[in-house]
Amino acid sequence: MSAVGPGPLRVLYLVPDLRVGGAERHVTTLMPHLDRTRFTPSVLCIGEEGALFGDLVTAGVPARALHRTKRQAARALWDIVRHLRRERPDLVITRGYNAEGLGRVAAWLTRVPNSIVWVHNHGDIEPRGRARELADRVLDRCTAAYFGVARAQIDYMTGDLGYARDKIRIVHNGVDPALYETGDDRGAVAALGLGPDDLIVGIVAALRPEKDHETFLRAARRVADAVPRARFLIVGDGPERARIEALTSELGLGDRVVLAGSRPDVPDLLRAMDVVVLSSHSVECFPMALLEAMAAARPAVCTAVGGVPELVDDGVTGCLVPPRDPNALGDKLIAVLSDETRRRGMGAAARVRVETEFSLKTSITAAERAVEEVARRG
């Protein structure tokens, strides 16, 4: 690792792909907003482009996809090496396991001055394995820094991952409040059969096991019995869809739950929701979906996992409940839905918190400062 020369820092972000997800949205919001007088950004996907790739193209950020699969690791490494030799970045940021491994090896082979690993998880769904742990220890020698998005990650990064504390920097995610209107509008959900008199409880999350839609649905059953006007909107798609549909039917919620799938109009959908839920049981870090809900002045009832308590001021901007506890989640939702004044007050407080602490501008400024510090220190 070495310091870089004068002029804008050439920063390349290497990722597996840019499918819809919070970590992926972080890339497509960070890179276009870097100060072009200080940074020259670019993005490289190892696999396919993904649905968010076009956001970079629209913003004028150079981006390319290699279309390599996990079984083509050797070819992907050679492609990355050639790309780095051609682009000659001053600093490479990696996110995602195959990107973290291949990217740091390629950066070392091509003498890129600095490499950063940006960690977006708070744990591992599956054990990392001894081979991966050994690779991380070896690659640590050519890693300038490890960035996280929540203070709650520090114990995981120093303990489970074994990263040195002095290499870790936390840069909270942020959203642009100007992109989120705070008024109520049911127009986006009218076609879904949801009406102006319904009390809509929404969840925006990929349909994956760690998001724990089962707890959401079991809480919904409890709420439905106590609040006749309550309806439940699930936004997102993924491998758990069939299981979620089956459980919805099993719980007798077929006429109360709407699965909207993946949608491009999330800001509009948020304006139709009376309360937003996040029911994850693990690995949640600093969820973009929750930030967006807060920016739209929606109160949130969330499981107290990962960095969520850093976002939600319990009882002020939303409510926190234990993970995997549908009764606690349901009871808190009933209380919030039954008190409109409290509900609107929490939503307004959530919006203010985003504006003052978690805006995109604040996040970008912190990221720029952290990247420059790493480059200068190298």
Side-chain angles (χ1 to χ4, degrees):
M1 294 176 288
S2 61
V4 299
L9 283 170
R10 298 184 299 274
V11 179
L12 183 142
Y13 209 137
L14 179 69
V15 295
D17 56 51
L18 289 171
R19 68 184 69 184
V20 176
E24 292 77 9
R25 286 207 302 277
H26 174 260
V27 178
T28 59
T29 53
L30 170 67
M31 301 305 275
H33 287 91
L34 291 177
D35 182 350
R36 296 298 179 91
T37 67
R38 295 153 56 200
F39 303 91
T40 302
S42 63
V43 175
L44 182 64
C45 298
I46 296 175
E48 302 297 319
E49 287 86 349
L52 299 179
F53 188 88
D55 293 349
L56 295 174
V57 176
T58 300
V61 175
R64 181 186 171 199
L66 299 175
H67 302 107
R68 295 300 185 187
T69 67
K70 291 182 179 179
R71 294 183 178 182
Q72 296 175 313
R75 291 184 179 181
L77 176 59
W78 175 238
D79 288 343
I80 297 168
V81 166
R82 288 195 302 174
H83 187 84
L84 296 186
R85 283 176 176 165
R86 182 171 57 252
E87 299 299 323
R88 300 179 61 195
D90 299 306
L91 186 145
V92 170
I93 302 173
T94 60
R95 194 273 309 158
Y97 176 57
N98 63 336
E100 292 170 15
L102 297 175
R104 285 185 287 174
V105 170
W108 177 76
L109 289 172
T110 56
R111 299 180 181 272
V112 173
N114 294 289
S115 293
I116 295 171
V117 173
W118 209 316
V119 181
H120 281 261
N121 59 306
H122 184 254
D124 293 297
I125 298 173
E126 299 178 357
R128 296 173 70 84
R130 296 189 65 180
R132 183 172 177 181
E133 290 176 355
L134 176 60
D136 280 341
R137 284 198 297 271
V138 171
L139 291 172
D140 177 71
R141 301 169 189 172
C142 58
T143 306
Y146 301 94
F147 287 3
V149 296
R151 291 188 296 274
Q153 292 175 280
I154 292 175
D155 287 346
Y156 164 67
M157 293 169 74
T158 57
D160 292 8
L161 302 184
Y163 299 158
R165 180 63 184 87
D166 62 357
K167 283 189 174 185
I168 296 173
R169 287 166 171 75
I170 301 302
V171 180
H172 284 140
N173 290 336
V175 295
D176 183 356
L179 299 178
Y180 298 86
E181 298 182 35
T182 60
D184 299 331
D185 185 350
R186 297 297 170 89
V189 298
L192 299 174
L194 299 171
D197 295 328
D198 293 326
L199 287 171
I200 300 176
V201 180
I203 180 170
V204 182
L207 308 188
R208 298 197 304 261
E210 68 271 16
K211 300 298 183 179
D212 198 7
H213 287 78
E214 178 178 348
T215 289
F216 173 76
L217 288 172
R218 294 192 182 282
R221 178 67 272 171
R222 192 176 184 89
V223 174
D225 292 336
V227 184
R229 292 169 55 202
R231 300 286 297 276
F232 307 91
L233 177 61
I234 298 176
V235 181
D237 216 335
E240 290 286 287
R241 185 180 181 96
R243 184 168 176 269
I244 290 168
E245 290 174 337
L247 183 58
T248 298
S249 177
E250 177 187 323
L251 293 171
L253 289 168
D255 60 340
R256 305 288 287 273
V257 173
V258 175
L259 276 81
S262 183
R263 298 270 299 229
D265 57 343
V266 169
D268 294 330
L269 293 174
L270 288 171
R271 295 175 63 201
M273 299 177 190
D274 293 284
V275 60
V276 172
V277 172
L278 186 134
S279 55
S280 302
H281 64 69
S282 68
V283 307
E284 202 67 70
C285 232
F286 209 76
M288 294 293 291
L290 179 53
L291 274 171
E292 292 169 350
M294 293 171 66
R298 303 298 107 174
V301 178
C302 304
T303 47
V305 296
V308 172
E310 295 172 42
L311 269 169
V312 176
D313 188 355
D314 190 22
V316 178
T317 64
C319 300
L320 297 173
V321 297
R324 288 177 165 156
D325 190 338
N327 291 340
L329 178 59
D331 289 346
K332 194 64 70 173
L333 282 170
I334 292 168
V336 173
L337 290 171
S338 301
D339 189 340
E340 182 178 357
T341 300
R342 182 188 181 202
R343 191 166 68 241
R344 292 188 179 280
M346 287 194 297
R351 168 73 177 206
V352 170
R353 191 159 200 213
V354 169
E355 292 174 335
T356 57
E357 298 182 49
F358 303 123
S359 70
L360 180 60
K361 182 178 179 181
T362 298
S363 179
I364 295 298
T365 299
E368 291 174 337
R369 182 168 57 248
V371 168
E372 287 180 325
E373 287 175 356
V374 170
R376 285 198 302 268
R377 185 193 63 194

